[in-house]
Amino acid sequence: MLLRDKPEGLTGAGSRNLEHMNGELLDIACERIIRLERPAYIKNSELRFVAVNAAYARLFGRSPDEFKGQRSEAVDDAGAHKALIDCERRALVFG
């Protein structure tokens, strides 16, 4: 799951409300993926891990906390993630 930035030109109360909603949605998403038995993660618009569940972390022999704020290439061989990173970048650009 990739989290998008707020739409350009949104200011004032609308911007604060959107940020609040996004924060709540992010909290809910993070809580839910943690409980999944299948590997799952959430990244932000900079393709940095925001949340990783235990099943995903086990694939790399790490703890979920080791992923937070990192990019894929920082936690594993960059070559192994090239196709995934390209796909994530396209999702950010094209939706």
Side-chain angles (χ1 to χ4, degrees):
M1 170 184 278
L2 297 171
L3 300 175
R4 293 183 178 266
D5 296 325
K6 69 181 178 186
E8 289 186 35
L10 192 59
T11 60
S15 176
R16 285 189 299 277
N17 287 340
L18 181 61
E19 288 171 9
H20 180 72
M21 285 187 339
N22 282 342
E24 287 179 0
L25 291 174
L26 175 59
D27 290 343
I28 291 167
C30 290
E31 289 172 13
R32 292 200 176 160
I33 71 155
I34 288 170
R35 294 191 299 248
L36 292 175
E37 292 180 20
R38 294 178 184 238
Y41 64 87
I42 298 174
K43 289 185 177 181
N44 64 15
S45 61
E46 296 175 351
L47 299 179
R48 294 184 182 276
F49 290 101
V50 175
V52 171
N53 70 1
Y56 188 83
R58 274 194 302 271
L59 292 173
F60 301 94
R62 298 174 179 261
S63 73
D65 289 334
E66 292 179 68
F67 286 83
K68 291 182 183 174
Q70 300 294 319
R71 295 177 188 258
S72 293
E73 54 269 23
V75 295
D76 196 40
D77 177 25
H81 290 279
K82 185 173 178 6
L84 176 61
I85 293 167
D86 289 343
C87 183
E88 291 171 339
R89 283 194 181 118
R90 284 193 303 273
L92 282 172
V93 173
F94 301 112

